[in-house]
């Protein structure tokens, strides 16, 4: 990144207590004193706002952009170039760098998701912009929008779907947008921004980010549409764009739950849902110039677990009513991950493996605690204990070691000798009474095994009353 493009500002690190933006200049003070539209850029470039932006970018970590600069390497550069950066933004000379293209596989295996990774300096500026725009647009967003918004979550979104289903909205339109983030119309988006942002310097800066380009395989390509995923500003811009759809459907009295580009439209009958599917298509394609995936956008029953999937969840129905479940694909993916983490040929100490499993399961439960999965987790618990017994048995390797360890764990000498020299496979041994009596559940817990069904129950009690 050249000095022209990476002009920086000083950061006050939480440990070092050093200022990022420094004391406000005379021009900065004058900007703060002005009333009206021109104040927004000064609020974005305010020292405290930039400090918050840097800290947030640092917390998020993230890969370097096209210049290779890491978050840790950015601080000394920012100290040196702060005044140049701030002045270049104020006078309109600042030019963002192209984002670095990175492709990651989609969770369902249907293809890849294209990310655009900005440089660290660009991420800080984008974050500073987003922090000031969020309070402006947040009151204008629909109540049915849950993605990338303060104090809103995927768990709240699926709960709202459940509430509507209990009120009789048992049919849903699953709206699937093709490459949503990559196809936002720049002209429409800028018009929406200009309605609320009257500081031309800010809208011009946002436009520069939209037009900054993408570097792929060393070649820079222009970006005439879209807002690539990967930058701090992109989620907010995506919400501003689709808010037009949310508000129009809300005016029509339609129940819509949206999380980013995952959209569910609810209706009380299949016929009404089919009508909403067509009206959604017209609104999204004709007014917002987006493309609906005709194959994936369809009408389904909300409680049909095989067909309805939203944010990794689905709904079920029994004699007690409608309840939230983790979708089968989500469960299968998690179990594959656990199997990978506990594979017996990785050569790690069993305590380290248990810690890795604990970290993964805690994160997974932090997302899926809202689902009714108690029985599933109890089954996983037994399965994982057996996996760890198999892992430990494999690490003991030689028959002599196995015999000695079994005896140390309280198994009589004759049984220890018999089992220590068995030719049975690892999985069969792991499920045998001798290992259950020696490598007991209590001993596994002392070694670091995570009793996640109990944690799940605690999360349910803690959060479901929120």
């Amino acid at each position: 990144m050249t000095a022209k493009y990476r002009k920086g500002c000083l950061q006050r690190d939480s440990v070092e207590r050093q200022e990022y933006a420094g004391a406000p200049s005379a021009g900065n003070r004058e900007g703060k004193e002005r009333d009206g539209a021109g104040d927004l850029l000064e609020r974005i470039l305010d020292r405290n706002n930039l400090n918050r932006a840097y800290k947030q970018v640092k917390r998020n970590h993230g890969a370097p952009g096209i210049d290779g600069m890491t978050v840790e390497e950015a601080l000394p550069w920012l100290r040196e170039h702060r005044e140049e950066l701030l002045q270049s933004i104020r006078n309109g000379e600042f030019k963002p760098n192209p984002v670095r293209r990175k492709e990651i596989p989609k969770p369902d295996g249907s293809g890849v998701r294209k990310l655009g990774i900005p440089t660290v300096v660009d991420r800080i500026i984008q974050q500073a912009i987003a922090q000031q725009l969020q309070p402006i647009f947040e009151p204008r967003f629909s109540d049915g929008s849950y993605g990338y918004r303060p104090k809103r979550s995927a768990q709240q979104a699926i709960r709202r779907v459940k509430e509507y289903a209990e009120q009789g909205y048992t049919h849903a339109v699953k709206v699937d947008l093709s490459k949503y983030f990559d196809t936002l119309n720049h002209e429409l988006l800028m018009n929406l921004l200009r309605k609320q942002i009257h500081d031309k310097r800010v809208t011009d800066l946002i436009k520069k980010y939209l037009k900054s380009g993408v570097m792929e395989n060393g070649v820079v390509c222009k970006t005439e549409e879209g807002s690539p995923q990967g930058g701090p500003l992109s989620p907010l811009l995506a919400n501003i764009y689709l808010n037009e759809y949310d508000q129009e459907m809300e005016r029509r009295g339609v129940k819509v739950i949206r999380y980013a580009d995952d959209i569910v439209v609810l209706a009380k009958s299949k016929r009404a849902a089919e009508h909403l599917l067509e009206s959604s298509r017209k609104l999204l394609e004709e007014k917002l110039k987006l493309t609906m995936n005709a194959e994936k956008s369809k009408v389904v029953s909300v409680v049909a677990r095989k067909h309805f999937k939203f944010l990794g969840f689905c709904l079920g129905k029994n004699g007690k009513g409608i309840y939230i479940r983790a979708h089968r694909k989500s469960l299968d993916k998690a179990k594959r991950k656990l199997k990978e983490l506990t594979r017996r040929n990785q050569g790690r100490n069993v305590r380290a493996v248990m810690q890795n499993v604990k970290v993964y399961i805690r994160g997974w439960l932090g997302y899926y605690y809202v689902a009714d999965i108690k029985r599933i987790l109890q089954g996983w618990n037994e399965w994982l204990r057996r996996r760890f017994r198999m892992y430990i048995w494999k690490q003991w390797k030689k028959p002599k070691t196995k015999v000695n360890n079994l005896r140390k764990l309280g198994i009589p000498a004759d049984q220890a000798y018999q089992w220590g020299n068995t030719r049975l496979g690892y999985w069969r041994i792991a499920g045998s009474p001798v290992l259950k009596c020696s490598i007991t559940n209590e001993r596994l817990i002392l070694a670091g095994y995570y009793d996640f069904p109990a944690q799940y129950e605690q999360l349910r009690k803690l959060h479901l009353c929120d």
Side-chain angles (χ1 to χ4, degrees), residues 325-336:
R325 294 177 58 92
H327 195 273
R328 174 53 55 189
K329 289 183 179 179
S330 304
L331 296 171
D332 290 346
K333 181 184 177 183
K335 198 164 185 182
R336 285 195 302 270

Side-chain angles (χ1 to χ4, degrees), residues 406 411 415-416 419 429 432-439:
L406 287 173
I411 302 301
Q415 289 187 34
W419 285 98
I429 291 293
S432 66
V434 71
L435 281 198
K436 288 184 178 180
C437 291
S438 55
I439 308 174

Side-chain angles (χ1 to χ4, degrees), residues 32-292:
K32 289 182 179 179
E33 291 168 1
R34 291 196 308 265
D35 292 328
D39 286 351
L40 182 56
L41 182 64
E42 297 307 327
R43 293 201 300 271
I44 290 170
L45 300 183
D46 177 75
R47 178 187 63 192
N48 293 331
N49 189 56
L50 289 170
N51 284 340
R52 282 201 299 134
Y54 179 89
K55 291 174 183 178
Q56 184 60 50
V57 169
K58 190 175 181 180
R59 278 194 295 269
N60 292 341
H61 302 292
I66 64 170
D67 63 351
M69 181 188 290
T70 64
V71 176
E72 291 73 23
E73 294 169 342
L75 184 57
W77 189 96
L78 291 168
R79 290 177 187 151
E80 182 180 354
H81 298 281
R82 65 170 189 189
E83 292 302 332
E84 296 175 68
L85 175 62
L86 297 179
Q87 188 57 38
S88 68
I89 293 174
R90 287 191 179 101
N91 61 28
E93 293 180 357
F94 175 78
K95 184 178 178 182
N97 281 276
V99 298
R100 180 169 66 86
R101 175 69 79 202
K102 183 177 181 181
E103 295 182 349
I104 59 172
K106 289 185 178 181
D108 58 4
S110 61
V112 296
R113 178 175 286 113
K114 293 184 177 182
L115 298 183
I117 304 174
T119 63
V120 175
V121 173
D122 285 328
R123 292 209 293 273
I124 293 168
I125 297 169
Q126 285 194 34
Q127 179 65 34
I129 296 171
Q131 287 170 180
Q132 291 301 314
L133 294 194
Q134 188 83 44
I136 295 173
F137 286 94
E138 183 64 25
R140 294 169 172 80
F141 289 154
S142 168
D143 188 52
S145 170
Y146 289 88
Y148 308 119
R149 294 183 61 189
K151 299 181 181 180
R152 288 184 168 241
S153 65
Q155 293 78 21
Q156 292 173 334
I158 190 63
R159 282 177 183 165
R160 180 64 69 88
V161 174
K162 174 179 175 288
E163 289 173 7
Y164 282 140
E166 290 170 339
Q167 295 171 18
Y169 292 88
T170 55
H171 287 78
V173 178
K174 280 286 293 169
V175 176
D176 187 275
L177 296 173
S178 298
K179 301 179 181 179
Y180 170 59
F181 283 87
D182 295 328
T183 57
L184 295 180
N185 183 278
H186 286 178
E187 183 180 356
L188 285 176
L189 177 56
M190 292 308 303
N191 288 338
L192 293 173
L193 293 172
R194 291 185 185 109
K195 288 180 180 179
Q196 306 302 330
I197 302 172
H198 304 298
D199 188 335
K200 187 175 183 298
R201 297 172 300 173
V202 175
T203 53
D204 286 348
L205 181 57
I206 294 172
K207 188 173 182 179
K208 286 180 180 180
Y209 274 111
L210 292 173
K211 302 289 186 183
S212 62
V214 174
M215 179 175 283
E216 194 167 8
N217 299 321
V219 179
V220 176
C221 302
K222 293 182 179 180
T223 45
E224 299 300 334
E225 62 180 7
S227 178
Q229 296 181 74
L233 190 56
S234 183
L236 176 59
L237 296 180
N239 268 341
I240 292 170
Y241 199 90
L242 272 180
N243 187 51
E244 295 299 292
Y245 170 81
D246 297 340
Q247 296 294 345
E248 179 58 32
M249 298 301 272
E250 193 173 275
R251 280 192 289 271
R252 300 178 187 181
V254 178
K255 309 298 183 185
V256 175
I257 305 298
R258 182 175 66 80
Y259 193 98
D261 59 336
D262 286 314
I263 304 172
V264 171
V265 186
L266 295 160
K268 291 189 174 181
S269 68
K270 185 177 180 180
R271 183 177 178 181
E274 289 171 345
H275 174 73
L276 290 173
L277 174 61
E278 180 58 23
S279 60
S280 291
R281 185 194 64 76
K282 288 182 178 180
L283 181 56
L284 291 165
E285 294 190 345
E286 295 178 10
K287 182 177 179 180
L288 296 179
K289 301 183 187 295
L290 299 171
T291 302
M292 272 180 60

Side-chain angles (χ1 to χ4, degrees), residues 335-346 350 353-354 356-357 383-388 390-392 427 449:
K335 198 164 185 182
R336 285 195 302 270
K337 179 65 176 180
L338 290 172
K339 191 172 183 179
E340 173 66 19
L341 289 173
T342 56
R343 69 187 190 281
R344 65 176 186 266
N345 62 348
Q346 59 184 300
V350 69
V353 177
M354 286 180 176
N356 290 338
V357 169
W383 173 75
L384 266 179
R385 285 171 176 159
R386 187 170 177 179
R387 294 277 299 176
F388 277 117
M390 179 178 68
Y391 191 95
I392 294 168
W427 185 245
Y449 182 77

